[in-house]
PDB file of all heavy atoms in Angstrom:
ATOM      1  N   GLU A 463      -9.323   2.616 -10.091  1.00 95.00           N
ATOM      2  CA  GLU A 463     -10.574   2.074  -9.571  1.00 95.00           C
ATOM      3  C   GLU A 463     -10.559   2.224  -8.056  1.00 95.00           C
ATOM      4  O   GLU A 463      -9.549   1.964  -7.410  1.00 95.00           O
ATOM      5  CB  GLU A 463     -10.728   0.593  -9.951  1.00 95.00           C
ATOM      6  CG  GLU A 463     -10.759   0.331 -11.443  1.00 95.00           C
ATOM      7  CD  GLU A 463     -11.968   0.946 -12.127  1.00 95.00           C
ATOM      8  OE1 GLU A 463     -13.011   1.090 -11.450  1.00 95.00           O
ATOM      9  OE2 GLU A 463     -11.862   1.284 -13.313  1.00 95.00           O
ATOM     10  N   ASP A 464     -11.695   2.636  -7.481  1.00 96.00           N
ATOM     11  CA  ASP A 464     -11.800   2.873  -6.045  1.00 96.00           C
ATOM     12  C   ASP A 464     -12.728   1.863  -5.381  1.00 96.00           C
ATOM     13  O   ASP A 464     -13.666   1.362  -6.005  1.00 96.00           O
ATOM     14  CB  ASP A 464     -12.361   4.275  -5.765  1.00 96.00           C
ATOM     15  CG  ASP A 464     -11.345   5.370  -6.002  1.00 96.00           C
ATOM     16  OD1 ASP A 464     -10.182   5.044  -6.295  1.00 96.00           O
ATOM     17  OD2 ASP A 464     -11.713   6.556  -5.901  1.00 96.00           O
ATOM     18  N   ARG A 465     -12.434   1.623  -4.125  1.00 97.00           N
ATOM     19  CA  ARG A 465     -13.353   0.865  -3.274  1.00 97.00           C
ATOM     20  C   ARG A 465     -13.345   1.488  -1.893  1.00 97.00           C
ATOM     21  O   ARG A 465     -12.271   1.753  -1.331  1.00 97.00           O
ATOM     22  CB  ARG A 465     -12.931  -0.606  -3.171  1.00 97.00           C
ATOM     23  CG  ARG A 465     -13.850  -1.421  -2.258  1.00 97.00           C
ATOM     24  CD  ARG A 465     -13.365  -2.836  -2.064  1.00 97.00           C
ATOM     25  NE  ARG A 465     -14.143  -3.545  -1.077  1.00 97.00           N
ATOM     26  CZ  ARG A 465     -13.851  -4.755  -0.609  1.00 97.00           C
ATOM     27  NH1 ARG A 465     -12.791  -5.396  -1.059  1.00 97.00           N
ATOM     28  NH2 ARG A 465     -14.610  -5.342   0.307  1.00 97.00           N
ATOM     29  N   GLU A 466     -14.527   1.761  -1.342  1.00 97.00           N
ATOM     30  CA  GLU A 466     -14.661   2.374  -0.029  1.00 97.00           C
ATOM     31  C   GLU A 466     -15.047   1.306   0.998  1.00 97.00           C
ATOM     32  O   GLU A 466     -15.936   0.489   0.753  1.00 97.00           O
ATOM     33  CB  GLU A 466     -15.744   3.456  -0.049  1.00 97.00           C
ATOM     34  CG  GLU A 466     -15.580   4.510  -1.134  1.00 97.00           C
ATOM     35  CD  GLU A 466     -14.589   5.582  -0.759  1.00 97.00           C
ATOM     36  OE1 GLU A 466     -14.302   5.718   0.446  1.00 97.00           O
ATOM     37  OE2 GLU A 466     -14.105   6.282  -1.667  1.00 97.00           O
ATOM     38  N   ILE A 467     -14.359   1.308   2.123  1.00 97.00           N
ATOM     39  CA  ILE A 467     -14.699   0.389   3.204  1.00 97.00           C
ATOM     40  C   ILE A 467     -14.609   1.141   4.532  1.00 97.00           C
ATOM     41  O   ILE A 467     -14.002   2.210   4.613  1.00 97.00           O
ATOM     42  CB  ILE A 467     -13.792  -0.858   3.245  1.00 97.00           C
ATOM     43  CG1 ILE A 467     -12.337  -0.465   3.513  1.00 97.00           C
ATOM     44  CG2 ILE A 467     -13.894  -1.647   1.953  1.00 97.00           C
ATOM     45  CD1 ILE A 467     -11.423  -1.665   3.684  1.00 97.00           C
ATOM     46  N   GLU A 468     -15.206   0.569   5.575  1.00 98.00           N
ATOM     47  CA  GLU A 468     -15.097   1.109   6.920  1.00 98.00           C
ATOM     48  C   GLU A 468     -14.547   0.033   7.839  1.00 98.00           C
ATOM     49  O   GLU A 468     -14.877  -1.151   7.691  1.00 98.00           O
ATOM     50  CB  GLU A 468     -16.448   1.601   7.441  1.00 98.00           C
ATOM     51  CG  GLU A 468     -16.926   2.896   6.800  1.00 98.00           C
ATOM     52  CD  GLU A 468     -18.131   3.484   7.517  1.00 98.00           C
ATOM     53  OE1 GLU A 468     -18.625   2.821   8.464  1.00 98.00           O
ATOM     54  OE2 GLU A 468     -18.563   4.584   7.154  1.00 98.00           O
ATOM     55  N   LEU A 469     -13.714   0.464   8.790  1.00 98.00           N
ATOM     56  CA  LEU A 469     -13.176  -0.445   9.794  1.00 98.00           C
ATOM     57  C   LEU A 469     -13.515   0.096  11.175  1.00 98.00           C
ATOM     58  O   LEU A 469     -13.281   1.270  11.473  1.00 98.00           O
ATOM     59  CB  LEU A 469     -11.659  -0.563   9.665  1.00 98.00           C
ATOM     60  CG  LEU A 469     -11.090  -1.681   8.785  1.00 98.00           C
ATOM     61  CD1 LEU A 469      -9.564  -1.691   8.905  1.00 98.00           C
ATOM     62  CD2 LEU A 469     -11.652  -3.034   9.159  1.00 98.00           C
ATOM     63  N   ALA A 470     -14.043  -0.782  12.022  1.00 98.00           N
ATOM     64  CA  ALA A 470     -14.356  -0.405  13.393  1.00 98.00           C
ATOM     65  C   ALA A 470     -13.069  -0.163  14.176  1.00 98.00           C
ATOM     66  O   ALA A 470     -11.978  -0.594  13.770  1.00 98.00           O
ATOM     67  CB  ALA A 470     -15.185  -1.508  14.053  1.00 98.00           C
ATOM     68  N   PRO A 471     -13.136   0.527  15.304  1.00 97.00           N
ATOM     69  CA  PRO A 471     -11.940   0.749  16.117  1.00 97.00           C
ATOM     70  C   PRO A 471     -11.236  -0.558  16.462  1.00 97.00           C
ATOM     71  O   PRO A 471     -11.865  -1.514  16.922  1.00 97.00           O
ATOM     72  CB  PRO A 471     -12.494   1.427  17.377  1.00 97.00           C
ATOM     73  CG  PRO A 471     -13.749   2.091  16.918  1.00 97.00           C
ATOM     74  CD  PRO A 471     -14.327   1.187  15.875  1.00 97.00           C
ATOM     75  N   GLY A 472      -9.931  -0.605  16.205  1.00 97.00           N
ATOM     76  CA  GLY A 472      -9.146  -1.789  16.526  1.00 97.00           C
ATOM     77  C   GLY A 472      -9.330  -2.961  15.598  1.00 97.00           C
ATOM     78  O   GLY A 472      -8.715  -4.014  15.803  1.00 97.00           O
ATOM     79  N   ALA A 473     -10.140  -2.821  14.572  1.00 98.00           N
ATOM     80  CA  ALA A 473     -10.418  -3.948  13.680  1.00 98.00           C
ATOM     81  C   ALA A 473      -9.350  -4.054  12.594  1.00 98.00           C
ATOM     82  O   ALA A 473      -8.681  -3.084  12.239  1.00 98.00           O
ATOM     83  CB  ALA A 473     -11.796  -3.800  13.039  1.00 98.00           C
ATOM     84  N   ALA A 474      -9.215  -5.269  12.052  1.00 98.00           N
ATOM     85  CA  ALA A 474      -8.286  -5.544  10.954  1.00 98.00           C
ATOM     86  C   ALA A 474      -9.027  -6.315   9.877  1.00 98.00           C
ATOM     87  O   ALA A 474     -10.003  -7.017  10.148  1.00 98.00           O
ATOM     88  CB  ALA A 474      -7.085  -6.343  11.449  1.00 98.00           C
ATOM     89  N   VAL A 475      -8.560  -6.182   8.643  1.00 98.00           N
ATOM     90  CA  VAL A 475      -9.148  -6.921   7.539  1.00 98.00           C
ATOM     91  C   VAL A 475      -8.053  -7.295   6.555  1.00 98.00           C
ATOM     92  O   VAL A 475      -7.072  -6.566   6.398  1.00 98.00           O
ATOM     93  CB  VAL A 475     -10.255  -6.086   6.841  1.00 98.00           C
ATOM     94  CG1 VAL A 475      -9.660  -4.864   6.146  1.00 98.00           C
ATOM     95  CG2 VAL A 475     -11.040  -6.928   5.861  1.00 98.00           C
ATOM     96  N   MET A 476      -8.210  -8.437   5.927  1.00 97.00           N
ATOM     97  CA  MET A 476      -7.327  -8.857   4.852  1.00 97.00           C
ATOM     98  C   MET A 476      -8.126  -8.780   3.558  1.00 97.00           C
ATOM     99  O   MET A 476      -9.125  -9.489   3.389  1.00 97.00           O
ATOM    100  CB  MET A 476      -6.841 -10.288   5.066  1.00 97.00           C
ATOM    101  CG  MET A 476      -5.795 -10.723   4.059  1.00 97.00           C
ATOM    102  SD  MET A 476      -4.151 -10.194   4.551  1.00 97.00           S
ATOM    103  CE  MET A 476      -3.838 -11.357   5.891  1.00 97.00           C
ATOM    104  N   VAL A 477      -7.715  -7.914   2.650  1.00 97.00           N
ATOM    105  CA  VAL A 477      -8.357  -7.808   1.345  1.00 97.00           C
ATOM    106  C   VAL A 477      -7.618  -8.766   0.419  1.00 97.00           C
ATOM    107  O   VAL A 477      -6.533  -8.468  -0.093  1.00 97.00           O
ATOM    108  CB  VAL A 477      -8.320  -6.374   0.812  1.00 97.00           C
ATOM    109  CG1 VAL A 477      -9.112  -6.275  -0.492  1.00 97.00           C
ATOM    110  CG2 VAL A 477      -8.875  -5.396   1.839  1.00 97.00           C
ATOM    111  N   VAL A 478      -8.196  -9.941   0.221  1.00 97.00           N
ATOM    112  CA  VAL A 478      -7.537 -11.007  -0.533  1.00 97.00           C
ATOM    113  C   VAL A 478      -7.650 -10.727  -2.025  1.00 97.00           C
ATOM    114  O   VAL A 478      -8.720 -10.369  -2.525  1.00 97.00           O
ATOM    115  CB  VAL A 478      -8.161 -12.376  -0.180  1.00 97.00           C
ATOM    116  CG1 VAL A 478      -7.540 -13.489  -1.010  1.00 97.00           C
ATOM    117  CG2 VAL A 478      -8.002 -12.649   1.315  1.00 97.00           C
ATOM    118  N   ASP A 479      -6.525 -10.877  -2.723  1.00 97.00           N
ATOM    119  CA  ASP A 479      -6.474 -10.652  -4.172  1.00 97.00           C
ATOM    120  C   ASP A 479      -7.127  -9.319  -4.506  1.00 97.00           C
ATOM    121  O   ASP A 479      -8.121  -9.226  -5.226  1.00 97.00           O
ATOM    122  CB  ASP A 479      -7.155 -11.795  -4.918  1.00 97.00           C
ATOM    123  CG  ASP A 479      -6.799 -11.823  -6.401  1.00 97.00           C
ATOM    124  OD1 ASP A 479      -6.027 -10.957  -6.860  1.00 97.00           O
ATOM    125  OD2 ASP A 479      -7.310 -12.721  -7.107  1.00 97.00           O
ATOM    126  N   VAL A 480      -6.529  -8.248  -3.992  1.00 97.00           N
ATOM    127  CA  VAL A 480      -7.139  -6.922  -4.002  1.00 97.00           C
ATOM    128  C   VAL A 480      -7.426  -6.419  -5.413  1.00 97.00           C
ATOM    129  O   VAL A 480      -8.452  -5.781  -5.657  1.00 97.00           O
ATOM    130  CB  VAL A 480      -6.259  -5.919  -3.222  1.00 97.00           C
ATOM    131  CG1 VAL A 480      -4.885  -5.763  -3.865  1.00 97.00           C
ATOM    132  CG2 VAL A 480      -6.948  -4.572  -3.103  1.00 97.00           C
ATOM    133  N   VAL A 481      -6.555  -6.708  -6.362  1.00 97.00           N
ATOM    134  CA  VAL A 481      -6.775  -6.227  -7.727  1.00 97.00           C
ATOM    135  C   VAL A 481      -8.034  -6.850  -8.318  1.00 97.00           C
ATOM    136  O   VAL A 481      -8.866  -6.165  -8.934  1.00 97.00           O
ATOM    137  CB  VAL A 481      -5.547  -6.512  -8.602  1.00 97.00           C
ATOM    138  CG1 VAL A 481      -5.797  -6.089 -10.056  1.00 97.00           C
ATOM    139  CG2 VAL A 481      -4.320  -5.797  -8.059  1.00 97.00           C
ATOM    140  N   ASP A 482      -8.211  -8.149  -8.103  1.00 97.00           N
ATOM    141  CA  ASP A 482      -9.402  -8.822  -8.597  1.00 97.00           C
ATOM    142  C   ASP A 482     -10.651  -8.276  -7.917  1.00 97.00           C
ATOM    143  O   ASP A 482     -11.696  -8.094  -8.560  1.00 97.00           O
ATOM    144  CB  ASP A 482      -9.271 -10.328  -8.361  1.00 97.00           C
ATOM    145  CG  ASP A 482     -10.455 -11.101  -8.914  1.00 97.00           C
ATOM    146  OD1 ASP A 482     -10.649 -11.083 -10.137  1.00 97.00           O
ATOM    147  OD2 ASP A 482     -11.189 -11.700  -8.102  1.00 97.00           O
ATOM    148  N   GLN A 483     -10.561  -8.003  -6.611  1.00 96.00           N
ATOM    149  CA  GLN A 483     -11.716  -7.462  -5.893  1.00 96.00           C
ATOM    150  C   GLN A 483     -12.126  -6.084  -6.405  1.00 96.00           C
ATOM    151  O   GLN A 483     -13.285  -5.683  -6.277  1.00 96.00           O
ATOM    152  CB  GLN A 483     -11.437  -7.400  -4.397  1.00 96.00           C
ATOM    153  CG  GLN A 483     -11.415  -8.755  -3.718  1.00 96.00           C
ATOM    154  CD  GLN A 483     -11.839  -8.679  -2.267  1.00 96.00           C
ATOM    155  OE1 GLN A 483     -12.629  -7.823  -1.871  1.00 96.00           O
ATOM    156  NE2 GLN A 483     -11.319  -9.594  -1.461  1.00 96.00           N
TER     157      GLN A 483
END
Side-chain angles (χ1 to χ4, degrees):
E463 299 295 332
D464 285 355
R465 178 185 173 187
E466 307 279 341
I467 63 175
E468 287 191 356
L469 268 185
V475 67
M476 187 84 74
V477 185
V478 177
D479 196 0
V480 62
V481 177
D482 183 64
Q483 288 209 29

